[in-house]
Amino acid sequence: MSGALVLRSGRVAAPDGMRAAAVVVRDGRIAAVTDRDAHVDGATRDVDLGDLALLPGLVDTHVHVNEPGRTEWEGFATATRAAAAGGITTLCDMPLNSDPVTTTVEALRAKVRAARGQCAVDVAFWGGAVPGNTDQLVPLLDAGVVGFKCFLADTAIPEFPPLDRAGLRAAMSVLADTGAPVIVHAEDPAEITAPAGPGYDAFVASRPPVAERRAIETVVSAAAATGARAHIVHLAAAECAALIGAAKAAGIALSAETCPHYLFFAADEVPDGATQFKCCPPLRYAPNREALWRALAAEVIDCVVSDHSPCPPALKEGDFAAAWGGITSLQVALPAVWTVARERGHTLADIARWMSAFPASLAGLPAKGAIAPGRDADLVAFDPDATHVVRGADLLHRHPVTPYEGRALTGRVTRVWLRGAEILPDLPRGGRLLRRGGHDLVLS
Ligand SMILES: [Zn+2]
């Protein structure tokens, strides 16, 4: 039996804030968090990280891996290596853009077969709620998904159509007693129009904040009526924070995420024709971005996850109306958020809460999300002061196209441990497939 691994740092992101500590790891789990200079019996490896910060491995609950079926867009091998290099030690795969979409147990089986043995980090799966598969939801949950994604607006993937109000309520009713969340792409199709021109402003205007607001109203009333847990994915319109905050205050089981790109970029800076910035809902203007930051600081927005959604470069050609929507960011999410969080006075403890602790609880992964005794020893050494310029070609994503190209970011992941085993830079395929509750996902 191997002895303990000890990691010492002056800046450990513990659940109660940043502090100097020694983290003791035995058998892949955190055994203790103790004084930085403490003597540890049986330590066979003792690493002093100096001024490097130690973060809990990030949990990214919003990743489109696209395998099987569209592996040429992104696959488990490339996505999980990029994730690991970016400090993400667990990712949750979205149920669409792959073929088949994960709306049946059989399709989950195809996902598991595709992912097994390929992953550098731990992986869990969202199921999909679509018209006509309500009877599949509990079987999918029993088979191992962590919850369900649905859309209220068109997805551009014909086999993954949106739910209407009645469909949303039916899905949430079935799941109300399970604790599994329904995570919703909240844009109301009645408020979306065709862009009036080819430029970015016309695209933004075609998907206005009211589209998000009307859809969130639909989600809030469905959550209130059914008692199911609901979560708003990629919130872009900051004006919706009032609605979400009010629903939470009323005791409705609602949470919300936003994404690095909404916190980093603003519509004002999107160059003509730069479709690498296209996503839905769109990047909005600078005052909206600052309001998103206030909502995050006020804990109305609970977490920040990537919505990494790549496609082959050819699908990004054309104008904003025609190009595929989706931003590539898995490997740069942590430094991108840290760059702009630090400017606004936030700490790495905030980053740990937004990008690890809350997503772990959303996905029902109790061994993840914190540097605390009993948790998996998923740990990230992070230099919070190092700067670098993003070059898409250097990233481990399948495709280099990213709106962060050429941007200077602060913060660099230097070492990563998955269940106590150091995985950078070799990135072995030691990631596990996990089910809600955190056990291994085993599907024959
Ligand atoms: Zn997405």
Side-chain angles (χ1 to χ4, degrees):
M1 209 57 242
S2 61
L5 163 69
V6 184
L7 301 176
R8 302 175 192 272
S9 163
R11 295 193 264 190
V12 174
D16 55 353
M18 300 302 296
R19 61 188 171 101
V23 178
V24 182
V25 176
R26 294 183 200 275
D27 300 326
R29 295 212 161 201
I30 296 170
V33 180
T34 183
D35 292 343
R36 181 179 182 169
D37 300 322
H39 170 78
V40 177
D41 283 334
T44 52
R45 287 158 297 157
D46 200 316
V47 181
D48 195 323
L49 296 168
D51 280 337
L52 292 179
L54 192 66
L55 309 180
L58 303 192
V59 178
D60 190 341
T61 50
H62 196 149
V63 181
H64 296 267
V65 175
N66 307 329
E67 186 174 4
R70 288 191 181 86
T71 311
E72 69 276 17
W73 293 22
E74 187 73 280
F76 285 103
T78 44
T80 59
R81 278 160 182 69
I88 295 159
T89 50
T90 304
L91 66 79
C92 300
D93 171 56
M94 280 292 168
L96 76 163
N97 301 3
S98 56
D99 183 11
V101 294
T102 320
T103 52
T104 64
V105 173
E106 202 45 49
L108 177 65
R109 207 169 263 127
K111 275 280 185 193
V112 167
R113 273 198 301 267
R116 192 178 281 145
Q118 286 217 71
C119 299
V121 301
D122 287 357
V123 171
F125 301 93
W126 293 106
V130 295
N133 85 330
T134 307
D135 64 344
Q136 285 286 314
L137 302 182
V138 170
L140 268 165
L141 193 60
D142 291 342
V145 301
V146 294
F148 296 90
K149 169 81 174 287
C150 70
F151 283 68
L152 299 182
D154 181 48
T155 66
I157 297 283
E159 62 273 30
F160 203 101
L163 294 177
D164 61 14
R165 283 185 172 79
L168 178 67
R169 242 174 231 226
M172 291 179 78
S173 295
V174 163
L175 295 167
D177 295 332
T178 68
V182 176
I183 67 172
V184 187
H185 179 124
E187 288 184 288
D188 189 324
E191 303 289 349
I192 297 172
T193 55
Y200 191 67
D201 289 330
F203 174 63
V204 178
S206 75
R207 306 184 86 105
V210 67
E212 292 187 62
R213 186 151 41 85
R214 293 285 176 248
I216 293 170
E217 287 167 356
T218 298
V219 175
V220 168
S221 50
T226 61
R229 182 173 178 191
H231 175 80
I232 306 299
V233 298
H234 51 49
L235 181 75
E239 66 177 53
C240 300
L243 178 55
I244 293 166
K248 288 181 173 187
I252 294 167
L254 182 71
S255 55
E257 71 190 34
T258 191
C259 304
H261 35 278
Y262 300 118
L263 297 169
F264 191 95
F265 299 113
D268 322 60
E269 62 186 290
V270 177
D272 277 349
T275 57
Q276 65 270 31
F277 289 87
K278 180 182 175 181
C279 59
C280 298
L283 304 174
R284 303 193 186 281
Y285 296 89
N288 179 80
R289 176 182 60 192
E290 298 315 309
L292 282 177
W293 276 106
R294 289 193 293 278
L296 195 54
E299 300 185 32
V300 173
I301 297 174
D302 301 277
C303 62
V304 183
V305 289
S306 72
D307 194 11
H308 176 72
S309 187
C311 67
L315 290 179
K316 278 293 194 186
E317 287 170 9
D319 62 22
F320 282 102
W324 180 264
I327 281 181
T328 302
S329 63
L330 196 54
Q331 193 172 336
V332 299
L334 170 57
V337 174
W338 174 237
T339 299
V340 282
R342 184 156 99 155
E343 289 168 359
R344 290 166 176 80
H346 295 292
T347 69
L348 288 170
D350 296 324
I351 296 282
R353 197 173 70 251
W354 299 332
M355 302 184 80
S356 182
F358 190 89
S361 76
L362 177 69
L365 300 172
K368 307 297 188 185
I371 298 179
R375 305 292 182 114
D376 283 352
D378 297 349
L379 298 161
V380 175
F382 184 71
D383 182 343
D385 303 310
T387 58
H388 68 287
V389 173
V390 177
R391 299 289 171 216
D394 296 339
L395 302 175
L396 300 177
H397 309 149
R398 172 142 291 161
H399 298 292
V401 176
T402 173
Y404 294 95
E405 181 72 38
R407 300 299 290 250
L409 300 183
T410 303
R412 195 164 60 88
V413 172
T414 61
R415 301 177 76 171
V416 176
W417 292 263
L418 179 67
R419 281 176 264 103
E422 188 162 4
I423 61 171
L424 271 187
D426 300 331
L427 302 172
R429 302 171 182 213
R432 289 186 185 164
L433 308 184
L434 304 177
R435 54 185 297 137
R436 188 167 185 86
H439 295 294
D440 286 337
L441 198 176
V442 180
L443 253 184
S444 52

